[in-house]
Amino acid sequence: MAKGFFKQNVGLTNRDSERRHRVKGGRHLPTGRASSFTRLVGSFVSKITGAAFTALMALVGIFLLGYVAAMLSGQIGSIYALSNGGHPVSLSNCEAPLSTGKIEAAVHSGINLQRAQNGLAQLAFDDSLARIARLHSLDMLERNYFEHDTPEGLDPTARGLNAGYTCHKVFGSQYADGLSENIIKTTSWSAKTYNSAFETRDCKSNDQIAQEVVDWWFNSPHHRKNILTATFDREGIGVGEDKDGNILVTEDFC
């Protein structure tokens, strides 16, 4: 629906219209004059309408005061409308703002901590790999899929080559080509509660999201294998977030 102002056509095109008559009970009453009964009804309706409007404004004022107080106390971070339902959502216990860069750095630190605890060398953070990973996270969010391969069939290595990134390693008489990858989907909130008007979500902090990602990956045998591969010496972490609070994290290894 377009936003704007409405202009009502009242049907008066010239001054002569003011002298038109309307018929009531067989009598002609000039426009602008009314019977006592008509004036009484009009006065009653006006009073009722005024009282209802005053009550509505009082309720709006109470809501706004409560919301401002909640914001000042840190209980509510923001309110926005979800695209899939349009109903308002309040966010509580939020960091302002959520930082994908901080999540990427914290995930990288958590991965290196796991490697150190298992006697492995630290992984360097590779900015080029991070850009490749970040683009994949954002692409999965935008096109609504969750796979290592894109809808066009591009795997991590192919996506790297398209970005001009080659991973080639030689180990004596052997060599390895290509990228390895971990992905995960989560949310920026941990719990939902409902009332008649709002959905409230408890926000996760940047560090909570990062720790959750590392823990889930490390508790999965296939993801843990990538994290603890001794021949990897660098990685890139890429985080994407959409307006509904969905988060995708991609980790590319070389």
Side-chain angles (χ1 to χ4, degrees), residues 115 123 126 129-130 132-133 136 148-149 155-161 165-169 171 176-183 217 222-238 249-254:
R115 285 177 65 92
L123 297 175
D126 188 309
L129 274 179
I132 295 167
H136 189 53
H148 294 288
D149 294 357
D155 64 12
T157 299
R159 287 188 275 108
L161 291 173
Y165 193 98
T166 301
C167 182
H168 177 79
K169 294 184 177 181
F171 312 102
D177 281 316
L179 303 179
S180 293
E181 183 173 84
N182 289 339
I183 58 176
W217 277 341
H222 295 292
H223 297 86
R224 183 171 63 247
K225 180 180 178 181
N226 277 341
I227 293 171
L228 299 182
T229 296
T231 55
F232 293 155
D233 57 13
R234 54 193 182 273
E235 72 170 358
I237 308 291
V249 186
T250 301
E251 178 183 32
D252 285 330
F253 300 90
C254 176

Side-chain angles (χ1 to χ4, degrees), residues 66 69-77 90-94 200-202:
M71 287 187 67
L72 293 176
S73 67
Q75 294 177 349
I76 296 178
S90 65
L91 306 177
S92 62
N93 304 316
C94 298
T200 301
R201 296 179 176 182
D202 291 330

